[in-house]
Coordinates of all heavy atoms in Angstrom, one line a residue:
G1 N -125.3 -120.1 -127.6 CA -125.6 -121.1 -126.5 C -125.6 -120.5 -125.1 O -125.1 -119.4 -124.9
N2 N -126.1 -121.3 -124.2 CA -126.1 -120.9 -122.8 C -125.1 -121.7 -121.9 O -124.2 -121.1 -121.4 CB -127.6 -121.2 -122.2 CG -128.6 -120.4 -122.9 OD1 -128.8 -119.2 -122.7 ND2 -129.4 -121.1 -123.8
I3 N -125.2 -123.0 -121.9 CA -124.2 -123.8 -121.2 C -123.3 -124.4 -122.2 O -122.0 -124.3 -122.1 CB -124.9 -124.9 -120.4 CG1 -125.7 -124.3 -119.2 CG2 -123.9 -125.9 -119.8 CD1 -126.5 -125.3 -118.4
F4 N -123.8 -125.1 -123.2 CA -123.0 -125.6 -124.3 C -122.8 -124.4 -125.3 O -123.8 -124.1 -126.0 CB -123.6 -126.8 -125.0 CG -122.8 -127.4 -126.0 CD1 -121.9 -128.4 -125.7 CD2 -122.9 -127.0 -127.4 CE1 -121.1 -129.0 -126.7 CE2 -122.1 -127.6 -128.4 CZ -121.2 -128.6 -128.0
R5 N -121.6 -123.8 -125.3 CA -121.5 -122.6 -126.0 C -120.4 -122.7 -127.1 O -119.3 -123.3 -126.9 CB -121.1 -121.4 -125.1 CG -122.1 -121.1 -124.1 CD -121.7 -119.9 -123.2 NE -120.5 -120.0 -122.6 CZ -120.3 -120.7 -121.4 NH1 -121.4 -121.2 -120.8 NH2 -119.1 -120.8 -120.8
L6 N -120.6 -122.1 -128.2 CA -119.7 -122.0 -129.3 C -119.3 -120.6 -129.6 O -120.2 -119.8 -129.8 CB -120.2 -122.7 -130.6 CG -119.4 -122.4 -131.9 CD1 -118.0 -123.1 -131.8 CD2 -120.2 -122.8 -133.1
T7 N -118.0 -120.3 -129.6 CA -117.6 -119.0 -130.1 C -116.8 -119.3 -131.4 O -115.8 -120.0 -131.4 CB -116.6 -118.3 -129.1 OG1 -117.4 -118.0 -127.9 CG2 -116.1 -116.9 -129.6
S8 N -117.2 -118.7 -132.5 CA -116.5 -118.9 -133.8 C -115.6 -117.7 -134.1 O -115.8 -116.6 -133.7 CB -117.5 -119.2 -134.9 OG -118.2 -118.0 -135.2
F9 N -114.6 -118.0 -135.0 CA -113.7 -117.0 -135.4 C -113.3 -117.2 -136.9 O -113.4 -118.4 -137.4 CB -112.5 -116.8 -134.5 CG -111.6 -118.0 -134.6 CD1 -110.6 -118.2 -135.6 CD2 -111.6 -119.0 -133.6 CE1 -109.7 -119.3 -135.6 CE2 -110.8 -120.1 -133.6 CZ -109.8 -120.2 -134.6
G10 N -112.8 -116.2 -137.5 CA -112.2 -116.4 -138.8 C -113.0 -115.9 -140.0 O -114.2 -115.6 -139.8
E11 N -112.4 -115.6 -141.1 CA -113.0 -115.1 -142.3 C -112.7 -116.1 -143.5 O -111.7 -116.8 -143.4 CB -112.5 -113.7 -142.7 CG -112.8 -112.7 -141.6 CD -111.7 -112.7 -140.6 OE1 -110.5 -112.9 -140.9 OE2 -112.1 -112.5 -139.4
S12 N -113.5 -116.0 -144.5 CA -113.4 -117.0 -145.6 C -112.0 -116.8 -146.3 O -111.5 -117.8 -146.9 CB -114.5 -116.8 -146.6 OG -114.5 -115.5 -147.2
H13 N -111.4 -115.6 -146.3 CA -110.2 -115.4 -147.0 C -109.0 -115.1 -146.1 O -108.0 -114.6 -146.4 CB -110.3 -114.4 -148.1 CG -111.0 -114.9 -149.3 ND1 -110.4 -115.0 -150.6 CD2 -112.3 -115.3 -149.5 CE1 -111.3 -115.5 -151.4 NE2 -112.4 -115.7 -150.8
G14 N -109.2 -115.5 -144.8 CA -108.2 -115.4 -143.8 C -107.4 -116.6 -143.8 O -107.5 -117.5 -144.6
Q15 N -106.5 -116.8 -142.7 CA -105.7 -118.0 -142.6 C -106.5 -119.2 -142.3 O -106.2 -120.3 -142.8 CB -104.6 -117.7 -141.6 CG -103.6 -118.9 -141.5 CD -102.4 -118.6 -140.6 OE1 -102.1 -117.4 -140.3 NE2 -101.7 -119.6 -140.2
A16 N -107.5 -119.0 -141.4 CA -108.2 -120.2 -140.9 C -109.5 -119.7 -140.4 O -109.8 -118.5 -140.1 CB -107.4 -120.9 -139.9
V17 N -110.5 -120.7 -140.2 CA -111.7 -120.5 -139.4 C -111.7 -121.5 -138.3 O -111.0 -122.6 -138.4 CB -112.9 -120.6 -140.3 CG1 -113.0 -119.5 -141.3 CG2 -113.0 -121.9 -141.0
G18 N -112.4 -121.2 -137.3 CA -112.4 -122.2 -136.2 C -113.3 -121.7 -135.1 O -114.2 -120.9 -135.2
G19 N -113.1 -122.3 -133.9 CA -114.0 -122.0 -132.8 C -113.5 -122.5 -131.4 O -112.5 -123.2 -131.4
I20 N -114.2 -122.1 -130.4 CA -113.9 -122.6 -129.0 C -115.3 -123.1 -128.5 O -116.3 -122.3 -128.5 CB -113.4 -121.5 -128.1 CG1 -112.0 -121.0 -128.6 CG2 -113.2 -122.0 -126.7 CD1 -111.4 -119.9 -127.9
I21 N -115.3 -124.3 -128.1 CA -116.5 -124.9 -127.5 C -116.3 -124.9 -126.0 O -115.4 -125.5 -125.5 CB -116.8 -126.4 -128.0 CG1 -116.8 -126.4 -129.5 CG2 -118.0 -126.9 -127.3 CD1 -116.8 -127.9 -130.0
D22 N -117.2 -124.2 -125.3 CA -117.1 -124.1 -123.8 C -118.4 -124.8 -123.2 O -119.4 -124.8 -123.9 CB -117.0 -122.7 -123.4 CG -116.4 -122.6 -122.0 OD1 -116.0 -123.6 -121.4 OD2 -116.3 -121.4 -121.5
G23 N -118.2 -125.4 -122.0 CA -119.3 -126.0 -121.4 C -119.6 -127.4 -121.9 O -120.7 -128.0 -121.5
C24 N -118.7 -128.0 -122.6 CA -118.9 -129.3 -123.1 C -118.7 -130.3 -121.9 O -117.7 -130.3 -121.3 CB -118.0 -129.6 -124.2 SG -118.2 -131.3 -125.0
P25 N -119.6 -131.2 -121.7 CA -119.4 -132.2 -120.6 C -118.2 -133.0 -120.8 O -117.8 -133.3 -122.0 CB -120.7 -133.1 -120.7 CG -121.7 -132.2 -121.4 CD -120.9 -131.4 -122.4
P26 N -117.5 -133.4 -119.8 CA -116.3 -134.3 -119.9 C -116.7 -135.7 -120.2 O -117.9 -136.2 -120.0 CB -115.7 -134.2 -118.5 CG -116.8 -133.9 -117.6 CD -117.8 -133.1 -118.4
G27 N -115.7 -136.5 -120.7 CA -115.9 -137.9 -120.9 C -116.6 -138.3 -122.2 O -116.9 -139.5 -122.4
I28 N -116.8 -137.4 -123.1 CA -117.4 -137.8 -124.4 C -116.3 -138.4 -125.3 O -115.2 -137.8 -125.5 CB -118.0 -136.6 -125.1 CG1 -119.1 -135.9 -124.3 CG2 -118.5 -137.0 -126.5 CD1 -119.6 -134.6 -124.9
E29 N -116.6 -139.6 -125.8 CA -115.7 -140.3 -126.7 C -115.6 -139.5 -128.0 O -116.7 -139.3 -128.7 CB -116.1 -141.7 -127.0 CG -116.0 -142.6 -125.8 CD -114.6 -143.2 -125.6 OE1 -113.7 -142.9 -126.5 OE2 -114.4 -143.9 -124.7
M30 N -114.5 -138.9 -128.4 CA -114.4 -138.1 -129.6 C -114.1 -138.9 -130.8 O -113.0 -139.4 -131.1 CB -113.3 -137.0 -129.4 CG -113.6 -136.0 -128.4 SD -114.9 -134.9 -128.9 CE -114.0 -133.8 -129.9
D31 N -115.1 -139.2 -131.6 CA -115.0 -140.0 -132.8 C -114.6 -139.0 -133.9 O -115.4 -138.4 -134.5 CB -116.4 -140.6 -133.1 CG -116.4 -141.5 -134.3 OD1 -115.4 -141.4 -135.1 OD2 -117.3 -142.3 -134.5

């Protein structure tokens, strides 16, 4: 991504997988 960016991490047989979302606009209702 450029402004809305995802950085992912983790492996299938590691402890966890996940990510960091940067550039997400504020005020979004998180359903």
Side-chain angles (χ1 to χ4, degrees):
N2 298 283
I3 294 180
F4 185 88
R5 297 185 302 277
L6 166 69
T7 300
S8 72
F9 66 83
E11 300 84 36
S12 63
H13 283 245
Q15 183 173 342
V17 294
I20 298 174
I21 304 168
D22 202 1
C24 182
I28 300 174
E29 292 277 357
M30 290 291 279
D31 184 341

